[in-house]
Amino acid sequence: MAQRPIILGIVGDSAAGKTTLTRGLAQILGPDNVTIICTDDYHRYDRKQRAELGITALHPDCNYLDIIQQHLALLRTGQPILKPIYNHKTGTFDPPEYIKPRNFVVVEGLLGFSTRGMRDCYDVKAYLAPPESLRTRWKIRRDTAKRGYSEEQVLGEMAKREPDSEQFIRPQRSTADLVVSFYPGQNGPDTQLNVRLVLRPTIPHPDFVDVIERSGAHTRSAVRVELDRDMGKPVDVLEVDGHATDEQVKELQDVLCEEMANGSQLCNIPADLGKVTGTTGETLQSHPLAISQLLITYHMLKASRGVYV
Ligand SMILES: Nc1ncnc2c1ncn2[C@@H]1O[C@H](COP(=O)(O)OP(=O)(O)OP(=O)(O)O)[C@@H](O)[C@H]1O
Ligand SMILES: O=C(CO)[C@H](O)[C@H](O)COP(=O)(O)O
């Protein structure tokens, strides 16, 4: 195990799926080994003040980015922080909390990759990029169920935020090691999403040669590795369709398990990994989500073995 905490950054727009992804990582690594920090806690203004000032939560001026950067640097060296708390139920701030980092720290939020100083603190950087239509459905569902908004309010707020999303959130995609995009298949339901995982050469990815060989015979295999371009740069892409079989998922898991020389958390994954809540509150199992969680955990474990330092 590394001498300092391993830090994963997960960035993406509101309701892009950061918390959902993080939940599974903690399941694999063991909740007692993981500290989760959401950078919404570093908003400079509460909900009422933002409305009065006409500023959105996505604007850098609406967040203490300098304090996030300071805290990241402290966490990276294993030191504690006194973290503010933004309460999404009330739209105001609660008293701060004392946090001592565990072996793995996940920092998720809107603007986590926006300065060089912040980016330098992460061992692994993931960006979540679902299509906007899907993110809108997710945001409406989540914000009406949990944050006290009506559907009209959510749509109005998203329209107001669009210029800031374009200017401040989406450009961060270019700095991520992995870009994770869940998307519905053609006419497919939201309950069976596919995932497209862009693997940038900024960190060493697992060797998917077996997967490539298998998918070579069937161009529409439910699990595929392809060469493509992202933001103009060449990348590898791992695609996992929502209808991938248990066996195909197991083959991918075996690749990750073997690369970690067995005996790792990746060889004994929790049976209910990849859990999501469906439209009517039912629990669904998503293979594409489980694979994304396994792959990101693989990178955290690799980093903890000092492979990248
Ligand atoms: N991979 C997924 N598959 C199915 N549904 C998902 C997935 N990821 C997210 N969702 C849905 O989208 C909603 C919002 O996701 P989540 O809370 O994870 O987003 P977030 O990026 O953490 O949001 P915020 O930054 O606004 O707190 C969830 O409540 C869930 O219903
Ligand atoms: O973009 C968001 C990330 O979660 C939130 O909308 C932002 O944090 C403000 O929260 P709220 O809408 O609960 O006041």
Side-chain angles (χ1 to χ4, degrees), residues 13-20 138 141-142 147 182 193 276 289:
D13 213 328
S14 181
K18 303 179 291 291
T19 309
T20 305
W138 283 351
R141 202 167 75 209
R142 199 272 318 274
R147 296 188 181 176
F182 294 98
L193 300 173
V276 279
L289 176 60

Side-chain angles (χ1 to χ4, degrees), residues 12-15 18 38-41 43 45-48 50 56-58 63 86-92 108-110 135 139 142-143 146-147 149 157 161:
D13 213 328
S14 181
K18 303 179 291 291
C38 175
T39 62
D40 290 355
D41 289 327
H43 288 330
Y45 306 113
D46 67 21
R47 198 179 286 167
K48 187 161 166 274
R50 287 197 307 271
T56 87
L58 273 53
N63 294 275
Y86 179 74
N87 183 330
H88 284 285
K89 286 213 170 76
T90 60
T92 60
E108 55 117 332
L110 299 166
R135 185 174 75 84
K139 186 154 170 72
R142 199 272 318 274
D143 283 5
K146 297 200 177 141
R147 296 188 181 176
Y149 291 96
E157 180 67 19
R161 289 175 170 208

